[in-house]
Coordinates of all heavy atoms in Angstrom, one line a residue:
A252 N 8.0 17.4 31.5 CA 9.0 18.2 30.8 C 9.4 17.6 29.4 O 9.7 18.3 28.5 CB 10.3 18.3 31.7
S253 N 9.5 16.2 29.3 CA 9.9 15.6 28.1 C 8.8 15.5 27.1 O 7.7 14.9 27.4 CB 10.5 14.2 28.4 OG 9.6 13.4 29.0
P254 N 9.0 15.9 25.9 CA 7.9 15.8 24.9 C 7.5 14.4 24.6 O 8.4 13.5 24.5 CB 8.5 16.5 23.6 CG 9.6 17.3 24.1 CD 10.2 16.6 25.3
L255 N 6.3 14.1 24.4 CA 5.8 12.8 23.9 C 6.0 12.7 22.4 O 6.4 11.6 21.9 CB 4.4 12.5 24.3 CG 3.8 11.2 23.9 CD1 4.5 10.1 24.7 CD2 2.3 11.2 24.1
V256 N 5.8 13.7 21.7 CA 5.9 13.8 20.2 C 6.8 14.9 19.8 O 6.7 16.0 20.3 CB 4.5 14.0 19.6 CG1 4.6 13.9 18.0 CG2 3.5 13.0 20.1
T257 N 7.7 14.6 18.9 CA 8.6 15.6 18.3 C 8.6 15.4 16.8 O 8.9 14.3 16.3 CB 10.1 15.4 18.8 OG1 10.0 15.5 20.3 CG2 11.0 16.5 18.3
L258 N 8.3 16.5 16.1 CA 8.5 16.6 14.7 C 9.6 17.5 14.3 O 9.7 18.6 14.9 CB 7.2 17.1 14.0 CG 6.0 16.2 13.9 CD1 5.2 16.2 15.3 CD2 5.0 16.6 12.8
D259 N 10.6 17.0 13.5 CA 11.8 17.8 13.2 C 11.9 17.9 11.7 O 12.1 16.9 11.0 CB 13.0 17.0 13.8 CG 14.3 17.8 13.6 OD1 14.3 19.0 13.5 OD2 15.4 17.1 13.5
K260 N 11.8 19.1 11.2 CA 12.0 19.4 9.8 C 11.2 18.5 8.9 O 11.7 17.9 7.9 CB 13.4 19.4 9.4 CG 14.3 20.4 10.1 CD 14.0 21.8 9.6 CE 14.9 22.9 10.2 NZ 14.6 23.1 11.6
V261 N 9.9 18.3 9.2 CA 9.0 17.4 8.4 C 8.5 18.0 7.2 O 7.9 19.2 7.2 CB 7.9 16.9 9.3 CG1 6.8 16.1 8.5 CG2 8.4 16.0 10.4
N262 N 8.7 17.4 6.0 CA 8.2 17.8 4.7 C 7.3 16.8 4.1 O 7.6 15.6 4.2 CB 9.4 18.2 3.8 CG 10.1 19.5 4.3 OD1 9.7 20.6 4.0 ND2 11.2 19.3 5.0
K263 N 6.3 17.2 3.4 CA 5.4 16.3 2.7 C 4.9 16.9 1.4 O 4.5 18.1 1.4 CB 4.2 15.9 3.6 CG 3.1 15.2 2.9 CD 3.5 13.8 2.5 CE 2.3 13.1 1.8 NZ 2.7 11.7 1.3
W264 N 5.1 16.2 0.3 CA 4.6 16.7 -1.0 C 3.5 15.8 -1.5 O 3.5 14.6 -1.3 CB 5.8 16.6 -2.0 CG 6.9 17.5 -1.7 CD1 7.9 17.3 -0.8 CD2 7.1 18.8 -2.3 NE1 8.8 18.4 -0.8 CE2 8.3 19.3 -1.7 CE3 6.4 19.6 -3.3 CZ2 8.9 20.6 -2.1 CZ3 7.0 20.8 -3.6 CH2 8.2 21.3 -3.1
F265 N 2.5 16.4 -2.2 CA 1.5 15.7 -3.0 C 1.8 16.2 -4.4 O 1.3 17.3 -4.8 CB 0.1 16.0 -2.6 CG -0.2 15.5 -1.2 CD1 -0.4 16.3 -0.1 CD2 -0.5 14.1 -1.0 CE1 -0.7 15.8 1.1 CE2 -0.8 13.6 0.2 CZ -0.9 14.4 1.3
G266 N 2.6 15.5 -5.2 CA 2.9 16.0 -6.5 C 3.7 17.3 -6.4 O 4.7 17.3 -5.8
D267 N 3.2 18.3 -7.1 CA 3.9 19.6 -7.0 C 3.5 20.5 -5.8 O 4.0 21.5 -5.6 CB 3.6 20.4 -8.3 CG 4.1 19.8 -9.5 OD1 5.2 19.1 -9.4 OD2 3.5 20.0 -10.6
L268 N 2.5 20.0 -5.0 CA 2.1 20.7 -3.9 C 2.8 20.3 -2.6 O 2.8 19.1 -2.3 CB 0.5 20.5 -3.7 CG 0.0 21.1 -2.4 CD1 0.0 22.6 -2.4 CD2 -1.5 20.6 -2.1
Q269 N 3.4 21.2 -1.9 CA 4.1 20.9 -0.7 C 3.1 21.2 0.5 O 2.7 22.3 0.8 CB 5.4 21.7 -0.5 CG 6.2 21.2 0.7 CD 7.5 21.8 0.8 OE1 7.9 22.7 0.0 NE2 8.3 21.3 1.8
A270 N 2.6 20.1 1.1 CA 1.6 20.2 2.1 C 2.2 20.5 3.5 O 1.5 21.1 4.3 CB 0.8 18.8 2.2
L271 N 3.4 20.0 3.8 CA 4.1 20.3 5.0 C 5.4 20.9 4.7 O 6.2 20.2 3.9 CB 4.2 19.1 5.9 CG 2.9 18.4 6.4 CD1 3.2 17.1 7.2 CD2 2.1 19.4 7.2
V272 N 5.8 22.0 5.3 CA 7.0 22.7 4.9 C 7.9 22.9 6.2 O 7.6 23.7 7.1 CB 6.8 24.1 4.3 CG1 8.1 24.8 3.9 CG2 5.8 24.0 3.1
D273 N 8.9 22.1 6.3 CA 9.9 22.2 7.4 C 9.2 22.3 8.8 O 9.5 23.2 9.6 CB 10.8 23.4 7.2 CG 11.9 23.1 6.2 OD1 12.2 21.9 5.9 OD2 12.4 24.0 5.5
V274 N 8.3 21.4 9.1 CA 7.5 21.5 10.3 C 8.3 21.1 11.5 O 8.8 19.9 11.5 CB 6.2 20.7 10.2 CG1 5.5 20.6 11.6 CG2 5.2 21.3 9.2
D275 N 8.5 21.9 12.5 CA 9.1 21.6 13.8 C 8.0 21.8 14.8 O 7.4 22.9 14.9 CB 10.3 22.6 14.1 CG 11.4 22.3 13.2 OD1 11.7 21.2 12.8 OD2 12.2 23.3 12.9
L276 N 7.8 20.8 15.6 CA 6.7 20.9 16.6 C 6.9 19.8 17.7 O 7.4 18.7 17.4 CB 5.3 20.6 15.9 CG 4.1 20.9 16.7 CD1 3.9 22.3 17.0 CD2 2.9 20.4 15.9
T277 N 6.6 20.2 18.9 CA 6.6 19.2 20.0 C 5.3 19.2 20.7 O 4.5 20.2 20.7 CB 7.7 19.5 21.1 OG1 7.4 20.8 21.6 CG2 9.1 19.5 20.5
V278 N 4.9 18.0 21.3 CA 3.7 17.9 22.1 C 4.1 17.2 23.4 O 4.7 16.1 23.4 CB 2.6 17.0 21.3 CG1 1.4 16.9 22.2 CG2 2.4 17.5 19.9
D279 N 3.9 17.9 24.5 CA 4.3 17.4 25.8 C 3.3 16.3 26.2 O 2.1 16.3 25.8 CB 4.3 18.5 26.8 CG 5.5 19.5 26.5 OD1 6.5 19.0 25.9 OD2 5.4 20.6 27.0
R280 N 3.7 15.5 27.2 CA 2.9 14.5 27.8 C 1.8 15.3 28.6 O 2.1 16.2 29.3 CB 3.6 13.6 28.7 CG 4.7 12.8 28.0 CD 5.7 12.1 29.0 NE 6.9 11.8 28.3 CZ 7.1 10.6 27.7 NH1 6.1 9.8 27.6 NH2 8.2 10.4 27.0
G281 N 0.5 14.9 28.4 CA -0.5 15.5 29.1 C -1.0 16.8 28.5 O -1.9 17.5 29.0
E282 N -0.4 17.2 27.3 CA -0.8 18.5 26.7 C -1.9 18.3 25.7 O -2.0 17.2 25.0 CB 0.4 19.0 25.9 CG 0.1 20.3 25.2 CD 1.3 20.9 24.5 OE1 2.3 20.2 24.2 OE2 1.3 22.2 24.3
V283 N -2.7 19.3 25.5 CA -3.7 19.4 24.5 C -3.2 20.5 23.5 O -3.2 21.6 23.9 CB -5.1 19.7 25.0 CG1 -6.1 19.8 23.8 CG2 -5.6 18.6 26.0
L284 N -2.9 20.0 22.3 CA -2.5 21.0 21.3 C -3.6 21.0 20.2 O -3.9 20.0 19.6 CB -1.1 20.5 20.6 CG -0.6 21.4 19.5 CD1 0.0 22.7 20.0 CD2 0.4 20.6 18.6
V285 N -4.1 22.2 20.0 CA -5.2 22.4 19.0 C -4.5 23.0 17.8 O -3.9 24.1 17.9 CB -6.4 23.2 19.5 CG1 -7.4 23.3 18.4 CG2 -7.0 22.4 20.7
V286 N -4.7 22.4 16.6 CA -4.1 22.9 15.3 C -5.2 23.6 14.6 O -6.3 23.0 14.2 CB -3.5 21.8 14.5 CG1 -2.8 22.4 13.3 CG2 -2.5 21.0 15.4
V287 N -5.1 24.9 14.3 CA -6.1 25.7 13.5 C -5.4 26.3 12.3 O -4.2 26.4 12.2 CB -6.7 26.8 14.4 CG1 -7.3 26.2 15.7 CG2 -5.7 27.8 14.8
G288 N -6.3 26.8 11.4 CA -5.8 27.4 10.2 C -6.8 27.3 9.1 O -7.8 26.6 9.2
P289 N -6.6 28.0 8.0 CA -7.5 28.0 6.9 C -7.5 26.6 6.2 O -6.6 25.8 6.4 CB -7.0 29.0 5.9 CG -5.5 29.2 6.3 CD -5.4 28.9 7.7
S290 N -8.6 26.3 5.5 CA -8.7 25.1 4.7 C -7.5 25.0 3.8 O -7.1 25.9 3.1 CB -10.0 25.0 3.9 OG -11.1 25.0 4.8
G291 N -6.9 23.8 3.7 CA -5.8 23.5 2.8 C -4.5 24.0 3.3 O -3.5 24.0 2.6
S292 N -4.4 24.3 4.6 CA -3.2 24.7 5.2 C -2.2 23.6 5.7 O -1.1 23.9 6.1 CB -3.5 25.7 6.4 OG -4.2 25.0 7.4
G293 N -2.7 22.4 5.6 CA -1.9 21.2 6.0 C -2.2 20.6 7.3 O -1.5 19.7 7.8

């Protein structure tokens, strides 16, 4: 039940490019989370 990883409102900039925008995410213990998306999506 308790997440192993928690991201709360995470932001990351590379100069003028914002690579991560208010990312909220949890990963549970024993979970496999696959992150997909177009190239350059962060």
